[in-house]
C-alpha cells in the first residue's frame, strides 16, 4: 500500500483524513510526522491558506522525501468581516474552543449577520510536483454552541440546508460534506488517475 505522509500533528485532522479516505475508498497508508519520531512543526507565516498549506507540506516533504499531503483550513465569519480565516487556530488567544465558541455566540447575540464558511486548501507534493485542492463549506453561526463531535468551531457552525451544527450532525456527516472532504475528494480524483 502506498505510504503518504500527512503533514500535521493535529490528531483530530489525522483521524478525519483517515476516515474520509476510507469513505472515498482510497487505499493508502497515512503516516504522521509523530509516527516517524518528528515533533517539529514549521512556522506558518503565509498570508493565505495556499501558502500555509504549502509551507507545511514542503517542510515535511524535504525532511522525509515521502509523498506528502498537508491542509490549511479556517473559518471565515461575516460578523467579524471574514476573520479569523488563516488565524482560526489562534483567534481570541489562549481561550479553549469551548470558551471561544461561547464568546463568539454571545458577541453575535441578536445579530442577523450570521454567514460563515469553512475553507480548506490541500497541498500534495510527490516527485517534486506540487498540486493544490480547495474545498469550501458555506453556512452560518448558530445561536449557541451545540453538539460534542468534531473539533474547533464545529459546535457553532450550521451548514447550509441543515438545522443542526456540524458537532451535532457528527463525524459521519463531516466525512461526507466538510470543506476537508470536498478538497480531499478532488485530490482523490487526481491521485487515482
Ligand atoms: P490549521 O491547523 O492551521 O489548518 O488550523 C485550522 C483551524 O481552523 C483549526 O485549529 C480550527 O480552529 C479551525 N478549523 C479548521 N477546520 C475545522 C473543522 O473542520 N471544524 C472546526 N474547526 C476547524
Amino acid at each position: 500500500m502506498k505510504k503518504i505522509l500527512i503533514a500535521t500533528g493535529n490528531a483530530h485532522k489525522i483521524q478525519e483524513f483517515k476516515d474520509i479516505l476510507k469513505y472515498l475508498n482510497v487505499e493508502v497508508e497515512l503516516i504522521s510526522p509523530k509516527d516517524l519520531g518528528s515533533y517539529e512543526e514549521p512556522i506558518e507565516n503565509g498570508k493565505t491558506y495556499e501558502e500555509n498549506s504549502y509551507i507545511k507540506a514542503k517542510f515535511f516533504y524535504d525532511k522525509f522525501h515521502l509523498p506528502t499531503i498537508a491542509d490549511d483550513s479556517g473559518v471565515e465569519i461575516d460578523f467579524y468581516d471574514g476573520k479569523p480565516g488563516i488565524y482560526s487556530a489562534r483567534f481570541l488567544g489562549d481561550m479553549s474552543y469551548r470558551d471561544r465558541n461561547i464568546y463568539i455566540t454571545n458577541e453575535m447575540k441578536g445579530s442577523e449577520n450570521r454567514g460563515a464558511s469553512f475553507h480548506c486548501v490541500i497541498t500534495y507534493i510527490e516527485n517534486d510536483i506540487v498540486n493544490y485542492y480547495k474545498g469550501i463549506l458555506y453556512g452560518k453561526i448558530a445561536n449557541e454552541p451545540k453538539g460534542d463531535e468534531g473539533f474547533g468551531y464545529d459546535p457553532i457552525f450550521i451548514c447550509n440546508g441543515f438545522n443542526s451544527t456540524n458537532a451535532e450532525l457528527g463525524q459521519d456527516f463531516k466525512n461526507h460534506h466538510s470543506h476537508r472532504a470536498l478538497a480531499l475528494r478532488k485530490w482523490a480524483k487526481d491521485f487515482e488517475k
Side-chain angles (χ1 to χ4, degrees), residues 17 20 22 31 34 60 69 74 88 96 106 127 149-150 158-159 164 169 180:
F17 266 84
I20 296 166
K22 195 168 167 196
I31 34 182
K34 282 182 190 163
F60 289 106
I69 195 164
S88 294
S96 68
N106 277 344
N127 298 327
E149 289 195 53
I158 298 178
C159 178
S164 307
L169 293 171
R180 200 162 292 107

Side-chain angles (χ1 to χ4, degrees), residues 10 13 16 44 56 71-75 88-89 97 100 118 151-154 174 179-180:
N10 179 332
K13 269 198 194 174
E16 270 200 20
E44 290 179 41
K56 289 183 245 189
D71 88 332
D72 195 61
S73 50
V75 66
S88 294
Y97 277 106
R100 243 186 263 196
F118 269 127
F151 66 98
Y153 302 94
D154 283 329
K174 281 194 78 185
H179 46 309
R180 200 162 292 107

Side-chain angles (χ1 to χ4, degrees), residues 148-169:
D148 303 314
E149 289 195 53
F151 66 98
Y153 302 94
D154 283 329
I156 60 167
F157 187 88
I158 298 178
C159 178
N160 281 350
F162 293 82
N163 293 315
S164 307
T165 67
N166 278 6
E168 290 177 291
L169 293 171

